[in-house]
Amino acid sequence: MTAWNPPHASGPPPSRRERTPKRVNPLRRPSDRFESWFRGFLMLVLVLGLPVAALGAGLTAYESSMRTVQTQSAERHQVDARVTSITEEVGENAKQQARVRWTDDDGTARTGTTLVTPDTPEGTTVRVWVTGEGAVTSPPMTENQAVTTGWFAGGAAAVGVAAGVFAARVGVRHALDRRRYAQWDAEWNQVEPLWAGRFRR
């Protein structure tokens, strides 16, 4: 017997139709095939959906923030105001609240409350942001803040997509495992009496 004539089982070799394809596993259950397909689908969603969701959410948040920047920049402006009194002391390192007074471009005297640095004496001139109606307000949103908002929204969307894919993966795996365990229990209930009967003989 040589390597050129290896032994084989007696009888004709099985036909091509009777041969099992190499990629087909006879032990693979339908639930295994579904799980494999679903895992590939989730991977596709992760690869394609995550960047789309992150980019879409980021651009939407950035564009909305830029509209806010433009609106606030048009509605708010700075004026020179004089500190008339300190209304509240908030510690040495914190800012303190003070009453200020300024005059609009049309000559109207305005008063309001703003935060100033510690130890600011009365009579000091400070710069404050005011609205067109003459109310003290916060500084308008800046372009850097709009960019930061866009990045934050995009990152949150990416994390949300990834978390959703992970939750779907875990949920489907848990449901399939419960079904498999139930099938195994049912099959074992049918087979176990036969096995037990063999050992009683």
Side-chain angles (χ1 to χ4, degrees), residues 2 18-19 54 57 76-77 93 115 145 150-151 158 172 174-175 191:
T2 63
E18 295 178 355
R19 295 176 184 172
R76 304 177 186 184
H77 61 281
N93 298 325
L115 295 176
Q145 291 174 327
W151 278 106
V172 170
H174 180 69
V191 175

Side-chain angles (χ1 to χ4, degrees), residues 65-129:
S65 299
M66 284 303 300
R67 287 193 293 270
T68 301
V69 170
Q70 296 172 358
T71 300
Q72 292 183 353
S73 298
E75 294 176 347
R76 304 177 186 184
H77 61 281
Q78 282 186 302
V79 296
D80 291 326
R82 184 172 58 86
V83 177
T84 58
S85 63
I86 304 299
T87 61
E88 184 179 357
E89 295 283 352
V90 197
E92 297 180 356
N93 298 325
K95 289 189 175 183
Q96 55 189 4
Q97 204 170 43
R99 295 285 298 178
V100 294
R101 180 185 179 89
W102 72 95
T103 303
D104 283 343
D105 294 337
D106 59 1
T108 303
R110 302 280 188 179
T111 59
T113 303
T114 188
L115 295 176
V116 296
T117 57
D119 301 328
T120 300
E122 296 182 5
T124 303
T125 300
V126 295
R127 297 282 288 176
V128 296
W129 287 93

